[in-house]
Every structure is written in C-alpha cells, then in structure tokens.
Amino acid sequence: MRMLFGVFLLTISSLALSAPQGDALYASHCAACHGDTGAGGVGVPLSLPSFLNSVDDDFLRKTIRYGRPGRVMPAFRALSNAQVNAIVRHIRGWSGKPVPDFSGKPVRGDAEHGKQLFASHCVACHGANGEGGKGTGVTFSRKRDLPIIAPALNNAGFLAAASDGMIRHTLQFGRENTPMRSFLEQGLSEQDINDLVSYVRSFGSGVAPPGKQTATVTETTITAESSYSLEETIENLEGAIVSQNFILIRTGTLEHGLTTEGEEDSKEVILHFCNFSFLYEALKVDPRVGMFLPCRVTVTERDGKVMVTTINPLYLSRLFNNSELDEFCKRMHGVYSAILEDATL
Amino acid sequence: MKRWLASIFLLCSLLHIPSLVYAEEIIMTRSVLAFPEAMLALQESITAHGYTVSRVQRIDVGLTGMGYKTDKYRVVFAGKIEEIRELTDKAPALTAYLPPKISIFAEGEQTVLVTINPQVYAEIAGDAIDPIIFTHWESDLRSIFHDVNVAR
C-alpha cells in the first residue's frame, strides 16, 4: 500500500515536472526583450493579434529553438520541449484566437519576378538583401525610422521557422498595427505574392543553417607592454585617445570608489573615454551596448613592468548575437589597437 | 514514512533544478518600475548583497550634453575590494573587465537591466582563478536582478 502510494506520488510529481510554468519561463527568458505583456522592446511585439493570427505553433517553437542568428534573438537550446511548449501556450494566451493552419504545400512562384517586386516594395524596410532594418524591435528610447524595426528575412532562423504558407499569409494580410501592410490591399495580385514568397525562400540558399557557430574569438584582451614609465604611459595614452577623436572622461584608479581614498592601488589606473556620435550610432543597433561603456584603457605597473590592456571588443561582441554590433566592435578594436600602439611604442 | 516522502520531494525538486539554470552569457531583466525607482532598487540590492557601488556612469547625460536625444541610461559599477584585488593580481586580463558593471536604461515607463554573466570572467581568467567565485557572483547577480524584477 505504502509502495503504491509512493508510485502515485512519483507519478503526480513527474506530471508536475512535465508541466512547466509558461508564465514564469516567459518572464525569465523572454520578458526582458519582448516586454512582460509581449508589447515589444529590444525584441518585436509578440502579443499583437495580427502577429498571432499569422503564425502557427511550429513557427513559434522553431523560433525559440533556433533564435535569429546575428539578430539579437537568442537560440534557446537548453530548454526542454515541454518548456518550449509551455512558453508557446503562454504566448497564445494573449490572443485567445484559434491557431492558424497553413497548408504544408510549398508555394510555387517566379523568384525572378519576386526579386523585382522585393526591390520596389520591401527593401526600404527589410534591406536590400532582406537583412532587416537597422536595430531591432521597438527600441523605445532612441530615434528610429519605424515604430517597429523590420525583421531580417535572409536569416537562417527565420527561414527555418517560417513555412511558405505563413510568409504568404503575412504578405496577403500584413500585420495590423505594425508597419507591415497587406500587399493585397497595396494592389499586388495573388501571383505577385507567390513570386515574393519564392524570392524570400531563395534567401535560404545563401545563409548558414541555424546553430552553426562561426569562428570564435579567443583573445580576450588587447595588451601591450609599454616602454615608458607608468606616468609617461598615461600621458601618452591621453594624447593618443584625443588624436583618435575620443573625449577623455576621467583618469582614476581601478579601485576608485571600492575602498577609502588613499587605500587604492595607485599602480592600477583606468582612463575612461568616449566618442558620443559613435556611441549614439551603436546604441541604435543595440541598446545593450552599455556593456562596452565607457571606453577604457587600463594601465598597470607590476615589478617595474608597465602593461596596457583593453577588452577585446570582438571577444565580447560574440555574446550579443548581433552582427551589426560586430561591425562597431571591429571599428573599436581598430581604435584600441591604435591607441595602444601610439602610447607604448 | 514522512522521511521517505520528504526524500521523494527532495529528489523531485533536485530533478527540477537543471531546468532553472540556463547558460546565458548575457543576463537581462525587466522592471515595471520607472527608471529612478528601478535604479534605487538596484543600488539597494547591490549593497544588501555586500557589494560596494563604486561609480555610476551617466551615459545619457554625456549624450544629451553633446546634443543627442536619449532616454535615461546609466552604467553601475560594483564589487568587493578584496575580491577585485585578488582577481586582478592573479589574472591580469581581468584588469580590462573589472569591476563588474550593470547597464540600466529606461524603456518607456519601464526599465531594463543588462549584464554579462560572471561565468564569462572565468573564461577570461583562465586557470589562474578558482571559478567558484564567479559562480557566487552569478548567483548574487541573479538574486539582485530578481530583487529589482519584483520590486514594486
């Protein structure tokens, strides 16, 4: 009897295990970017009826699994299927409408003609090659061209998640309350729309499948040994920073503020600097760019050896899954390297 | 019998743990509070966890000063002096990354917080450092973010 009771308990608790809480999972994994009620933020809105009416659960599940490589949206590989399903149910709960059913049949169209239509009707928002708008999501605080930035379409994650039927539906009906309009209403024919679907589909041949990581950067810092004294090196750095068109914000010890004045290690010095127009551009492509701020160089003297160190922006950048940010980080890598070279040689 | 039951529950809750830890490299949270209140909640929780806020860089002030339009955006630096000193002594690469920081910015009526998972520092530090310290940092950080997330 006891035994039976135990088995019963085990079954109950494993049922509980297999029914993860969608709201809690959404809150901890998605809300920071998509908003706690799905209104959007760093990510696009998810709660709009026009969005939920145009995607099926398979699209949502695959989007969570594959993410959007290079477009901020992470790939959630560590979640279990049950957890992914729970999140999808939570998202579905916002609409209460039946889930659309797209016929699995591939859409047949003329991709060449679709390409011409894409050039005249889509590139303004989705980019010349479907790479998406500058920045992502709703990005509340900063200047932007559209209330919602158009997603990337030449994206392995998008292409793997979207069925032809879903793309066609999105073009036919648009997404009300977003900049994405109905192209039937804009005067395109059903055949034009099929041609566009075929063209969007053709992006798939040029992109790496989701989950394929590109080469990883292993150098975590940019480092140089200085042939000058600590004081001279700091002076050199201040000059080098200004000559790279950056504004010097502050020079102080690494331990400043962590301990009482006078107790700080004076042989560990940080120079903080910034270029505000560069920063402004970077904030538009990723509001999380604060993790690189302010720009800084650290100078240390240990056993008479003066070392100058910066973060490697390329190393840090790969954590953000944002290819536009990678471009800024390449430029920043160049700036840091030039400053170090200027100041230490 | 009671003990036996308790151990089953323990087992189940242990089994459940792996689903809660998720190896993200960027940790983010959202607060329904407006920026000033969220900032206050953040600083209070950092202090309550035994860390010192060493500096708050007002990115937005710099930007608006230069004529750019932007909403509230700050970077908060925090740490414990003994830990920071030991880490930068043993792993010079960390001098470029420490003290740890949290970005906090307004998003409409709400506020978003972002930081790097401290586990990333373990990779930067290499073998010179026992990674247990970064596990502690991560758990403190998640607890701090949780505080801000639930603050009303």
Side-chain angles (χ1 to χ4, degrees):
Chain A
M1 176 62 197
R2 240 193 217 185
M3 186 61 183
L4 264 181
F5 186 57
V7 170
F8 171 74
L9 262 183
L10 261 179
T11 325
I12 294 283
S13 43
S14 62
L15 273 181
L17 279 185
S18 63
Q21 296 295 305
D23 50 351
L25 287 165
Y26 179 86
S28 59
H29 294 308
C30 324
C33 288
H34 288 286
D36 40 9
T37 56
V42 176
V44 287
L46 299 178
S47 59
L48 290 173
S50 64
F51 165 67
L52 289 170
N53 289 346
S54 70
V55 297
D56 56 21
D57 285 355
D58 190 50
F59 173 83
L60 294 175
R61 280 193 293 265
K62 285 183 174 154
T63 301
I64 295 169
R65 277 276 182 249
Y66 302 147
R68 299 271 167 102
R71 289 286 295 183
V72 180
M73 168 75 193
F76 292 88
R77 296 194 192 87
L79 295 176
S80 70
N81 287 339
Q83 289 175 315
V84 170
N85 287 331
I87 295 173
V88 169
R89 274 195 304 276
H90 178 71
I91 293 174
R92 278 291 166 212
W94 289 322
S95 97
K97 294 260 175 59
V99 179
D101 177 23
F102 300 116
S103 86
K105 268 195 241 138
V107 168
R108 288 193 200 290
D110 173 0
E112 263 314 305
H113 183 232
K115 184 177 181 172
Q116 290 161 19
L117 291 170
F118 193 86
S120 52
H121 291 86
C122 321
V123 293
C125 298
H126 288 282
N129 302 302
E131 67 276 19
K134 192 181 168 73
T136 57
V138 180
T139 47
F140 281 103
S141 321
R142 272 141 282 277
K143 189 171 162 282
R144 57 190 191 273
D145 313 330
L146 290 172
I148 304 169
I149 307 294
L153 304 177
N154 70 352
N155 185 279
F158 167 72
L159 290 167
S163 63
D164 286 3
M166 172 267 180
I167 301 176
R168 176 164 62 189
H169 184 279
T170 303
L171 293 174
Q172 285 171 322
F173 301 101
R175 292 196 182 156
E176 206 182 332
N177 294 319
T178 84
M180 180 67 196
R181 312 251 295 274
S182 152
F183 281 90
L184 283 180
E185 279 171 18
Q186 303 256 85
L188 295 191
S189 67
E190 292 282 356
Q191 187 55 51
D192 289 337
I193 286 180
N194 287 350
D195 296 348
L196 275 163
V197 174
S198 293
Y199 178 61
V200 169
R201 204 32 93 195
S202 75
F203 288 139
S205 50
V207 294
K212 291 275 169 294
Q213 278 280 322
T214 40
T216 51
V217 182
T218 47
E219 294 294 324
T220 59
T221 60
I222 311 173
T223 305
E225 184 175 350
S226 176
S227 33
Y228 302 91
S229 72
L230 182 71
E231 290 71 26
E232 286 166 340
T233 307
I234 293 171
E235 222 168 275
N236 293 350
L237 282 168
E238 290 175 346
I241 287 165
V242 173
S243 71
Q244 288 287 330
N245 277 322
F246 280 69
I247 297 172
L248 202 61
I249 302 178
R250 209 177 65 91
T251 303
T253 65
L254 189 147
E255 296 177 352
H256 175 85
L258 286 173
T259 182
T260 43
E261 237 171 290
E263 297 291 303
E264 302 157 30
D265 181 351
S266 59
K267 304 286 183 195
E268 269 182 356
V269 177
I270 301 181
L271 291 89
H272 287 292
F273 51 99
C274 195
N275 175 321
F276 287 99
S277 73
F278 185 69
L279 165 59
Y280 186 65
E281 292 307 313
L283 273 173
K284 280 199 273 189
V285 311
D286 200 320
R288 301 169 300 171
V289 86
M291 296 323 295
F292 295 85
L293 299 178
C295 297
R296 75 181 244 195
V297 178
T298 310
V299 198
T300 56
E301 188 191 322
R302 297 250 197 289
D303 311 320
K305 215 159 108 174
V306 176
M307 300 297 296
V308 186
T309 313
T310 72
I311 63 159
N312 181 356
L314 301 176
Y315 171 76
L316 211 49
S317 182
R318 94 204 139 92
L319 311 180
F320 288 80
N321 183 31
N322 185 345
S323 37
E324 280 181 276
L325 187 63
D326 289 345
E327 292 307 310
F328 281 89
C329 288
K330 268 183 210 146
R331 274 163 67 190
M332 210 46 228
H333 185 276
V335 169
Y336 278 150
S337 306
I339 289 174
L340 259 56
E341 196 168 305
D342 263 17
T344 57
L345 286 185
Chain B
M1 169 72 186
K2 263 200 188 143
R3 240 200 225 168
W4 193 62
L5 264 184
S7 51
I8 286 189
F9 278 119
L10 189 71
L11 183 71
C12 293
S13 53
L14 281 180
L15 284 176
H16 201 54
I17 285 174
S19 65
L20 299 177
V21 291
Y22 165 64
E24 316 126 293
E25 291 170 312
I26 307 280
I27 302 178
M28 297 175 68
T29 195
R30 173 179 293 272
S31 164
V32 296
L33 298 177
F35 184 86
E37 288 77 33
M39 179 61 130
L40 198 66
L42 172 63
Q43 298 207 21
E44 275 175 9
S45 178
I46 291 175
T47 312
H49 281 80
Y51 296 87
T52 306
V53 174
S54 64
R55 209 157 61 83
V56 177
Q57 185 74 45
R58 300 184 303 166
I59 305 295
D60 51 342
V61 175
L63 277 168
T64 33
M66 298 298 286
Y68 296 99
K69 222 173 115 80
T70 176
D71 211 331
K72 297 263 180 308
Y73 200 122
R74 309 273 154 97
V75 180
V76 177
F77 294 79
K80 292 180 187 167
I81 180 72
E82 326 79 58
E83 289 181 342
I84 303 293
R85 197 167 274 181
E86 188 187 340
L87 290 174
T88 53
D89 278 351
K90 288 189 182 160
L94 285 178
T95 57
Y97 288 88
L98 299 181
K101 57 186 164 187
I102 295 168
S103 296
I104 169 167
F105 55 89
E107 199 181 82
E109 298 297 301
Q110 303 191 346
T111 307
V112 175
L113 279 72
V114 184
T115 195
I116 293 172
N117 189 333
Q119 301 288 354
V120 171
Y121 301 135
E123 184 178 283
I124 298 170
D127 296 337
I129 306 284
D130 182 351
I132 188 78
I133 183 169
F134 303 116
T135 307
H136 285 155
W137 280 9
E138 181 185 353
S139 108
D140 283 344
L141 212 117
R142 288 189 185 276
S143 164
I144 291 168
F145 272 28
H146 180 259
D147 285 352
V148 180
N149 180 250
V150 299
R152 291 294 180 272

